[in-house]
């Protein structure tokens, strides 16, 4: 024989190995999308003679139909190798991830290995828009382009040297960017440039750390470029600023409580990496103790956000064409470095970062000093630090007794959820009662009382 097992080719001696064959088909589909499997060949590639009947062929077809999800429809025939009849199964599919008997596998060389949760998540995220969104035609045409938005993008992209001078015709330029199907705007192009307000952004300022009392609300509709500007302007207008004298002792310098560049990066990331097939809205929420930026869709990577702050990782682009368009006009500076920039800027300004990752939403939060907390509250060890609740008091105690304690260990002690503990820790940071020293894995908690 001239061929051997590889990542797209598998041998089984007989149909007594049907279950193992299903796992091989599943793993090959997940890795390559197509492959071939033979019944009647040993692992050493020599033929193994067994009785092949129509009933056996039906058994193979039925097993594939029942065991592999989503369903795939293979071609099942007989062939002759060294004058011995074998069963040949040719299969293909584009609906990854595939499972066999409810479990997910991937092909590594000529072996089938069960996927880890992070590997499975990576495949599922990559498939979200592949077939049903990013390159599909919308109902809009070039006539629906917002001229002001397009001209601003074109001028900025050319001036920063990331887009050649193709003139000013939207049809030509958008076509060259791959955002046009014939005369129709793609869904991505519609979100970026449409004058018909395709996206909704809700913004609000709250009096406390909860959504109880509104101080201000706003609802804006527009395209991605318009809403990025609206979101940044709203936050900048509703945060606190302090002044200090410059080195010459004459001029005043205005300093925001949260770095504006960090806010800008977070807002752009929110619109670049959101899911737009969900009937959900972008949200900006400014609380007394934090600023929250929320987009539809979970965090689109197998890593955690803080991993990007300390490691050189490849960032998965959920909306690759949108992100690349934002990059051309320098809204996105460099792929994959936005989170590192956010963490670095906030660390320099002593601003804490928290995030909430759910199935349908991702939220990044920036801490701010809560002025609702007055210095005439509870006293801890003789030091006045404002009011703290019972949970915060318990966390302070365990951190004092064990400065290396983890969030997971605190949840086990307090019987509270991870989300609740993270909220309480953020509150303690805002009240200047605790600080994190060193990196997440090897650092420790410093209690400031």
């Amino acid at each position: 024989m001239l061929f051997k097992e590889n990542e797209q080719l598998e041998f089984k001696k007989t149909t007594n190995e049907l279950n193992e064959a299903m796992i091989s088909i599943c793993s090959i589909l997940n890795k390559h999308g197509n492959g071939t499997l033979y019944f009647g060949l040993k692992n050493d590639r020599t033929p193994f003679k067994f009785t092949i009947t129509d009933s056996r062929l039906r058994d193979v077809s039925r097993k594939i139909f029942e065991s592999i999800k989503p369903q795939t429809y293979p071609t099942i025939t007989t062939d002759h190798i060294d004058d011995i009849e074998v069963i040949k199964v040719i299969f293909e599919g584009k609906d990854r991830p595939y499972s066999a008997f409810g479990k997910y596998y991937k092909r590594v060389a000529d072996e089938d290995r069960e996927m880890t949760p992070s590997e499975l998540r990576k495949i599922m995220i990559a498939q979200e828009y592949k077939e049903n969104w990013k390159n599909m035609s919308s109902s809009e045409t070039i006539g629906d382009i917002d001229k002001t938005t397009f001209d601003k993008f074109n001028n900025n992209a050319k001036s920063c040297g990331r887009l050649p001078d193709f003139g000013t015709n939207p049809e030509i330029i958008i076509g060259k960017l791959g955002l046009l199907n014939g005369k129709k705007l793609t869904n991505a192009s519609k979100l970026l440039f449409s004058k018909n307000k395709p996206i909704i952004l809700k913004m609000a300022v709250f009096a406390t750390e909860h959504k109880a009392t509104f101080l201000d609300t706003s609802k804006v509709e527009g395209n991605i470029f318009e809403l990025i500007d609206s979101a940044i302007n709203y936050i900048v207008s509703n945060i606190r600023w302090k002044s200090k004298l410059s080195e010459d002792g004459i001029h005043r310098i205005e300093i925001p409580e949260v770095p504006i560049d960090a806010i800008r990066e977070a807002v752009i990331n929110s619109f670049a990496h959101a899911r737009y097939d969900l009937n959900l809205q972008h949200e900006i929420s400014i609380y007394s103790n934090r600023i929250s930026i929320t987009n539809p869709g979970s965090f689109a990577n197998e890593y955690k956000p803080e991993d990007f702050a300390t490691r050189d990782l490849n960032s998965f682009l959920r909306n690759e064409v949108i992100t690349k368009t934002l990059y051309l006009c320098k809204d996105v500076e460099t792929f994959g470095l936005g989170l590192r920039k956010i963490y670095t800027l906030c660390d320099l300004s002593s601003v804490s970062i928290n995030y909430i990752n759910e199935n349908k939403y991702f939220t990044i939060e920036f801490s701010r000093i809560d002025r609702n907390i007055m210095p005439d509250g509870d006293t801890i060890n003789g030091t006045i630090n404002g009011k703290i609740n019972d949970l915060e008091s318990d966390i302070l105690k365990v951190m004092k007794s064990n400065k290396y304690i983890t969030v997971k260990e605190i949840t086990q002690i307090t019987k509270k959820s991870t989300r609740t503990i993270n909220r309480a820790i953020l509150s303690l940071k805002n009240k200047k009662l605790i600080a994190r020293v060193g990196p997440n894995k090897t650092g420790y908690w410093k209690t400031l009382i």
Side-chain angles (χ1 to χ4, degrees), residues 17-131:
E17 298 178 279
L18 270 177
N19 286 351
E20 293 84 351
M22 297 305 105
I23 292 174
S24 294
I25 291 173
C26 167
S27 64
I28 292 172
L29 284 171
N30 282 331
K31 184 70 174 287
H32 296 285
N34 63 83
T36 304
L37 183 144
Y38 286 91
F39 291 100
L41 295 176
K42 299 178 183 179
N43 288 339
D44 64 3
R45 310 185 300 280
T46 58
F48 181 85
K49 189 174 182 179
F50 74 107
T51 303
I52 297 175
T53 64
D54 289 343
S55 176
R56 285 186 183 273
L57 295 176
R58 287 194 295 270
D59 288 343
V60 174
S61 177
R62 186 182 304 110
K63 194 71 172 181
I64 293 173
F65 180 82
E66 293 174 349
S67 307
I68 296 179
K69 305 296 178 187
Q71 291 174 354
T72 183
Y73 301 94
T75 300
I76 303 173
T77 60
T78 59
D79 200 355
H80 285 82
I81 296 177
D82 294 345
D83 296 325
I84 294 177
E85 189 177 32
V86 298
I87 297 174
K88 183 178 183 180
V89 183
I90 300 175
F91 50 90
E92 64 178 348
K94 298 180 179 180
D95 297 324
R96 297 191 309 162
Y98 287 89
S99 67
F101 312 108
K103 294 185 177 181
Y104 298 85
Y105 301 86
K106 70 173 183 178
R107 192 73 164 177
V108 180
D110 60 350
E111 296 182 355
D112 307 314
R113 298 181 184 176
E114 189 171 353
M115 287 186 182
T116 64
S118 63
E119 289 171 332
L120 177 59
R121 176 175 171 79
K122 189 173 183 179
I123 287 180
M124 295 180 75
I125 290 173
Q127 289 295 108
E128 280 179 353
Y129 286 169
K130 188 173 182 180
E131 291 296 326

Side-chain angles (χ1 to χ4, degrees), residues 11 13 23 25 99 111 144 151 156 164 169 188 207 227 249 272 293 313 335 342 346 356 371 392 426 428 441:
F11 305 150
K13 285 174 60 177
I23 292 174
I25 291 173
S99 67
E111 296 182 355
D144 293 294
D151 288 345
N156 289 345
N169 187 326
L227 295 189
I293 300 169
L313 301 172
F335 295 119
I342 291 171
C346 288
I356 303 165
R371 292 189 176 177
E392 292 169 355
L426 179 61
L428 289 169
K441 289 188 177 180

Side-chain angles (χ1 to χ4, degrees), residues 108-313:
V108 180
D110 60 350
E111 296 182 355
D112 307 314
R113 298 181 184 176
E114 189 171 353
M115 287 186 182
T116 64
S118 63
E119 289 171 332
L120 177 59
R121 176 175 171 79
K122 189 173 183 179
I123 287 180
M124 295 180 75
I125 290 173
Q127 289 295 108
E128 280 179 353
Y129 286 169
K130 188 173 182 180
E131 291 296 326
N132 62 2
W133 186 80
K134 67 179 182 181
N135 294 320
M136 290 181 62
S137 298
S138 71
S139 60
E140 298 188 5
T141 67
I142 286 293
D144 293 294
I145 292 290
D146 181 79
K147 189 176 186 307
T148 301
T149 299
F150 174 79
D151 288 345
K152 182 179 178 181
F153 158 78
N154 190 32
N155 291 335
N156 289 345
K158 287 190 295 187
S159 65
C160 71
R162 292 182 178 178
L163 181 70
D165 190 349
F166 295 123
T168 59
N169 187 326
E171 186 169 0
I172 293 174
I173 296 170
I174 289 178
K176 287 184 177 294
L177 295 177
L179 295 169
L180 201 60
N181 287 337
K183 296 294 183 181
K184 295 285 188 179
L185 302 180
T186 64
N187 284 323
S189 183
K190 170 185 172 181
L191 295 171
L192 285 162
F193 297 111
S194 175
K195 66 182 179 183
N196 298 318
K197 306 184 184 306
I199 311 169
I200 297 174
L201 169 65
K202 292 171 59 179
M203 300 179 285
V205 180
F206 299 95
T208 68
E209 61 184 283
H210 304 291
K211 288 185 175 181
T213 305
F214 290 92
L215 297 179
D216 182 76
T217 62
S218 178
K219 180 179 178 181
V220 185
E221 297 179 9
N223 57 50
I224 286 176
F225 285 105
E226 291 172 328
L227 295 189
I228 286 175
D229 288 343
S230 294
I232 294 172
N233 290 336
Y234 190 83
I235 295 173
V236 169
S237 299
N238 285 284
I239 61 175
R240 293 185 289 268
W241 296 68
K242 64 180 180 180
S243 297
K244 73 173 186 179
L245 289 176
S246 61
E247 293 183 358
D248 60 15
I250 300 173
H251 299 94
R252 287 189 174 275
I253 302 173
E254 298 293 324
I255 302 172
E257 58 180 322
V258 177
I260 300 303
D261 283 346
I263 289 171
R264 180 174 175 78
E265 287 288 340
V267 168
I268 291 172
N269 280 349
S270 177
F271 283 95
H273 300 299
R275 280 189 60 177
Y276 291 98
D277 60 337
L278 300 173
N279 188 26
L280 301 170
Q281 301 167 345
H282 291 256
E283 294 185 8
I284 302 294
S285 300
I286 301 177
Y287 299 92
S288 61
N289 68 337
R290 67 193 187 281
I291 299 165
S292 295
I293 300 169
T294 299
N295 63 261
S298 60
F299 187 66
N301 277 280
E302 60 181 293
Y303 302 102
K304 296 179 180 179
E306 62 264 30
D307 292 335
F308 289 86
T310 56
R311 300 167 58 188
D312 293 323
L313 301 172

Side-chain angles (χ1 to χ4, degrees), residues 405-414 416 418 421-422:
I405 195 166
T406 65
V407 171
K408 183 177 180 180
E409 290 170 338
I410 296 174
T411 62
Q412 293 171 346
I413 293 172
T414 61
K416 301 292 184 181
T418 301
I421 295 302
N422 281 331

